[in-house]
Amino acid sequence: MKFIKLTAISAAVLASTAALAAEPVIVVDNNDAVVYEAEPVAVAYQAEPVAVAYEAEETNTGIIGKTTGAVRNTTGAIFGGTKTLFQTAINPASVSAEAGTLGYGANIGWSINDKTELQAGWAGGDAADLFGGDFDADDVNYDVDSDFSNPYLGVQVRPMANWFTVGAGIIVPDNDIDVRANAEGPNFRIDNVDYNAAETGTLSGTIEHRNKLAPYGTIGFRPNITNNFGVFGEIGAAYMGKTDATVTSSNSGQNVTATTVNGTTQVSADDVAKAAEQELENKDYLEWFPIVKVGATYRF
């Protein structure tokens, strides 16, 4: 009978222990609920770090998760910015074809906003025919042959968000300009002196601008014809700087009759060439090269 009682008591104790072990004990600490399993002290000691570790892991996971999320978001933002920049670079807003005093060419535009567009372009070739193929320097008319190369970077601004534009930028000029003087009647008139054209022979030479970088400014219009197509026109000037001219005579060394208000005198054909050369270099308008261009634009 004692054995049965002892057995019953032992069973009750075991059952109680099992019940305690089966039901969790909830401890609230600083508004955080932590679940502990009721086990022997040694096991409870082991369980506590596990529970704390689990809580810490859960909390840390949350923090790490958020931090990782933030890092991922930041990475996404950086990647997004890089992607946008990359897409902007390879997907321009417009392409244009142009013809004008700088030559025939094209440019690509990247929109910064609805009023501002960056441009990179090139214009060149034989542009002399585009402005008549000749020009006057005082009383001497010169035929012009040209081989232009004018890469440029600039910005186009629509200050009133309409078709009116203002442009500015930098040209990197590499222009070859060949000139040949045309006599007026029997003489070349240079600096109010008449030189006998037959004795002088052919006056020909080259003009080169000194500036390696030429700032420019323009005003113009850019109306849209359709959603994608538009036209434009611009006028302005580029500061090419002083010119270096070289003029030679085909009758080098020959005497030439020069007529002034004081009478006639004899000079060398080379002196006539020097006078023409000086006159070309003194022309201020050659410093400011005129820009006149028209073209068509396709917008993406």
Side-chain angles (χ1 to χ4, degrees), residues 230-245:
V231 295
F232 67 88
E234 294 178 41
I235 60 172
Y239 183 70
M240 298 288 191
K242 293 283 188 180
T243 57
D244 291 322

Side-chain angles (χ1 to χ4, degrees), residues 130-170:
L130 292 174
F131 51 90
D134 65 343
F135 70 93
D136 293 328
D138 286 342
D139 296 320
V140 181
N141 177 264
Y142 289 90
D143 289 333
V144 181
D145 289 322
S146 63
D147 183 12
F148 281 5
S149 177
N150 292 296
Y152 62 87
L153 292 172
V155 59
Q156 283 285 336
V157 179
R158 299 174 184 262
M160 294 178 285
N162 58 11
W163 54 265
F164 176 72
T165 63
V166 177
I170 292 291

Side-chain angles (χ1 to χ4, degrees), residues 184-195:
E184 186 172 338
N187 299 316
F188 290 110
R189 176 175 282 271
I190 302 172
D191 197 19
N192 296 321
V193 178
D194 291 324
Y195 299 97

Side-chain angles (χ1 to χ4, degrees), residues 240-254:
M240 298 288 191
K242 293 283 188 180
T243 57
D244 291 322
T246 302
V247 178
T248 59
S249 168
S250 61
N251 291 342
S252 178
Q254 184 170 324

Side-chain angles (χ1 to χ4, degrees), residues 18 27 32 51 59 64 71 108 134 141 160 189 198 213 216 227 253 256 265 294 296:
V27 178
D32 292 329
T59 305
I64 292 171
V71 171
I108 302 174
D134 65 343
N141 177 264
M160 294 178 285
R189 176 175 282 271
L213 293 175
Y216 73 86
N227 288 336
V256 176
T265 186
V294 294

